[in-house]
Amino acid sequence: MVYKKQPCLVSQIRFAPGKNSATVSQSVVRGSRDIYLLKANQGQRMDVKMTSLENNAVFDVIAPNGQVLKTEATQSSLKLPATGTYEIIVGGTRGNATYQLNVKIQ
């Protein structure tokens, strides 16, 4: 069996000055993933909500230590266990997916 490395988008989520949330609009091709990096502190709350045109996109949240905090979700509210860079990994559940990802930290 040969594994093929899939291309993916990796980008940093940044909040506008004075804001604590951001929305990303993007598309993910079947079989690939979009990875969003977000720096946050222990004890903060991260609210993540995803909407997609055909309800066919989900996300995972990975803590800085590699612990999986959420899998295949469309909405989540998490109290963050550590300070560092979190990964939000977006993928399609069937076919290509066009989505909006909203992330809020408080």
Side-chain angles (χ1 to χ4, degrees):
M1 181 176 278
V2 176
Y3 291 97
K4 292 170 64 176
K5 188 174 185 177
Q6 294 292 331
C8 66
L9 167 80
V10 178
S11 63
Q12 186 83 34
I13 291 182
R14 291 187 175 87
F15 302 128
K19 300 290 184 184
N20 68 341
S21 67
T23 300
V24 177
S25 296
Q26 192 59 263
S27 296
V28 63
V29 177
R30 181 181 180 168
S32 69
R33 300 285 181 264
D34 290 349
I35 302 171
Y36 296 96
L37 306 175
L38 176 68
K39 293 183 181 176
N41 297 318
Q42 179 179 5
Q44 287 184 308
R45 178 158 300 283
M46 180 192 305
D47 295 323
V48 184
K49 184 176 182 183
M50 167 168 291
T51 55
S52 55
L53 288 177
E54 298 180 21
N55 295 322
N56 62 338
V58 293
F59 65 85
D60 300 340
V61 178
I62 312 296
N65 67 357
Q67 177 186 3
V68 178
L69 301 178
K70 199 71 168 174
T71 60
E72 296 190 5
T74 57
Q75 192 167 343
S76 175
S77 184
L78 300 165
K79 185 174 180 182
L80 302 180
T83 296
T85 301
Y86 287 79
E87 293 182 32
I88 300 170
I89 303 170
V90 176
T93 56
R94 60 185 189 288
N96 299 340
T98 299
Y99 62 88
Q100 280 195 329
L101 178 70
N102 179 270
V103 181
K104 181 178 183 180
I105 296 286
Q106 44 191 347

